[in-house]
Amino acid sequence: MFHSLFQPCRLKSLTLENRIVMAPMTRTFAPGGVPTREIADYYRRRVEGGVGLIISEGAVVDRPAARNHPGIPLFHGTQALDGWGQVIAEVHRAGGKMGPQIWHVGPEPGYRTEWMPDGKIESPSGLLEQGRPRGSAMTEEDIADTIAAFASAAASARALGFDVLEIHGAHGYLIDKFFQPETNLRTDRYGGESLKQRSRFAAELIRSVRHAVGPDFPLILRVSQWKSGDFDYRLARTPQELGDWLMPLVEAGVDVLHCSQRRFWEAAFPEVDGERGLNLAGWAKKTTGATTITVGSVGIRPEPGCEHRLDLTGLCRRLDREEFDLVAVGRAILSDPGWPMKLRAGDLDAVTSFDPAHVATLA
Ligand SMILES: Cc1cc2nc3c(=O)[nH]c(=O)nc-3n(C[C@H](O)[C@H](O)[C@H](O)COP(=O)(O)O)c2cc1C
């Protein structure tokens, strides 16, 4: 069943067996920032369950305040990198493909924790959001060091044998804070009136990362219109603005745009092509020509009053029309590692549905 989800997909010289990607999900189960044996087993179970590509939970680059919870894994330092080496070895032994998501949270506070990092919290202009100071405005030296930290993490990902790399540029974290006019008030070359000008930090970072991993390594960038704390936020108000934002990033070296939405069936610009129009991944593909991943409530039981049904025929229709290339699945795979295999077999009754209580365990 759902034949279109089970077609192979090529990313440069990498071939994925199917179109299902495990979405990055922070689990905060890494004591001291070091991935454990349990984490390696958790990812291996998703390979055994049939997922085509795993994107890891966000793992942070080597900056003093890059994370906002002590259980978030690091992607630097011998111990943490050894832990990641164990993770990718386990995934490969089971026949899977995987890339880490590398991350810097910027000024975003941690979810349900009072924990504070030791170092200085940093952001483009010392703002969490409009009129809400948090952290210090980054100096040009901070910017250069942050870009170097991303490039170093990228080089480590490749050296450890990961298959792809994802950069987290979404949801209001550090890179995204540069895109937003409310939080990037800089008057140097990293700020400016247009989205294209404010994309400069990301473009320089991507160029450095591309240089670190070489030309053939698939590089994914996660982007979103919505922000933590503001689900209705729209960074690009028109398809033209979307192109102005994303095209320089693709030109800088991104192969795949991972377009984060809360519900994949929602049109990104309904005023242009209607309520059933292209979603964000659809428009990102149309305006840049890049490979795209969609995501958002795939396999999640609809909320009361929501018309969307659990069945995935609408999703497959969009995939058949090549509106996007890959489909990321978060909570459904968090709750049931075997979700892809069960879907393929049409055995939907056997699926363990997502329950928020599952987030507290690493099953
Ligand atoms: C527990 C949890 C942790 C998450 N952590 C991350 C993260 O580290 N990085 C990220 O880009 N998105 C993160 N997300 C968002 C997911 O990747 C995904 O976009 C979102 O859950 C919607 O997909 P779904 O409806 O299939 O779950 C997280 C989501 C959940 C539920």
Side-chain angles (χ1 to χ4, degrees):
M1 273 178 86
F2 307 112
H3 187 65
S4 10
L5 280 166
F6 295 96
Q7 298 307 305
C9 180
R10 263 182 94 82
L11 301 178
K12 297 204 148 157
S13 55
L14 179 71
T15 302
L16 304 179
E17 245 177 57
N18 64 52
R19 306 289 171 126
I20 302 174
V21 178
M22 179 178 176
M25 282 180 288
T26 292
R27 306 306 318 274
T28 64
F29 281 98
V34 177
T36 58
R37 175 85 228 169
E38 288 70 32
I39 293 179
D41 291 343
Y42 158 81
Y43 286 118
R44 191 205 62 244
R45 283 193 288 278
R46 272 69 197 170
V47 176
E48 291 164 353
V51 76
L53 174 69
I54 293 172
I55 304 296
S56 81
E57 59 209 285
V60 300
V61 301
D62 190 6
R63 288 293 292 163
R67 59 184 183 153
N68 55 14
H69 189 292
I72 291 177
L74 309 173
F75 210 85
H76 59 86
T78 314
Q79 259 191 306
L81 292 178
D82 284 352
W84 282 115
Q86 194 178 25
V87 170
I88 189 60
E90 201 58 29
V91 163
H92 281 166
R93 248 196 302 277
K97 304 276 192 282
M98 179 172 187
Q101 183 189 60
I102 56 171
W103 195 25
H104 183 320
V105 300
E108 285 293 328
Y111 180 63
R112 291 188 182 163
T113 174
E114 301 288 307
W115 183 82
M116 287 289 285
D118 284 338
K120 176 183 86 168
I121 290 174
E122 54 191 5
S123 58
S125 302
L127 293 169
L128 176 61
E129 55 191 52
Q130 192 163 30
R132 270 189 76 187
R134 193 160 200 267
S136 337
M138 292 166 82
T139 62
E140 292 226 2
E141 195 185 347
D142 291 332
I143 289 183
D145 290 349
T146 301
I147 290 176
F150 271 90
S152 166
S156 300
R158 187 183 172 136
L160 287 170
F162 281 97
D163 304 285
V164 304
L165 175 77
E166 177 166 294
I167 299 169
H168 197 339
H171 306 168
Y173 294 108
L174 183 69
I175 294 175
D176 205 3
K177 285 277 185 278
F178 276 84
F179 294 140
Q180 292 174 253
E182 298 84 1
T183 50
N184 180 352
L185 309 178
R186 301 180 71 95
T187 50
D188 62 5
R189 64 205 174 97
Y190 297 105
E193 285 284 294
S194 70
L195 204 34
K196 191 170 184 167
Q197 288 168 308
R198 296 191 305 276
S199 293
R200 180 188 279 268
F201 170 66
E204 283 188 13
L205 190 152
I206 289 158
R207 247 178 237 111
S208 283
V209 164
R210 170 55 73 202
H211 183 73
V213 295
D216 193 45
F217 197 75
L219 186 55
I220 307 172
L221 175 69
R222 198 163 217 220
V223 292
S224 66
Q225 295 269 46
W226 69 269
K227 312 299 161 211
S228 315
D230 190 354
F231 292 143
D232 297 324
Y233 189 89
R234 274 177 118 194
L235 192 54
R237 284 156 301 175
T238 62
Q240 168 74 40
E241 280 187 358
L242 187 72
D244 287 348
W245 167 30
L246 299 180
M247 203 58 219
L249 308 178
V250 170
E251 284 166 359
V254 165
D255 302 301
V256 182
L257 291 164
H258 188 171
C259 301
S260 171
Q261 278 188 264
R262 297 182 61 234
R263 303 178 187 94
F264 76 85
W265 60 90
E266 287 180 351
F269 300 107
E271 59 286 358
V272 178
D273 58 354
E275 294 295 334
R276 289 170 187 262
L278 293 177
N279 69 8
L280 189 63
W283 275 108
K285 185 171 166 128
K286 188 174 168 133
T287 53
T288 66
T291 298
T292 62
I293 308 177
T294 195
V295 67
S297 301
V298 175
I300 292 295
R301 223 163 261 295
E303 294 142 29
C306 171
E307 270 178 36
H308 179 73
R309 291 186 304 131
L310 197 57
D311 89 56
L312 298 175
T313 45
L315 177 78
C316 291
R317 231 178 285 127
R318 287 175 187 258
L319 197 53
D320 289 339
R321 288 199 294 260
E322 299 184 7
E323 292 181 8
F324 40 75
D325 305 279
L326 293 157
V327 176
V329 180
R331 291 166 293 168
I333 289 182
L334 186 153
S335 288
D336 191 339
W339 188 85
M341 261 177 16
K342 291 176 184 172
L343 197 71
R344 184 172 205 167
D347 199 5
L348 293 175
D349 289 344
V351 167
T352 305
S353 294
F354 173 72
D355 177 333
H358 297 159
V359 177
T361 63
L362 200 62

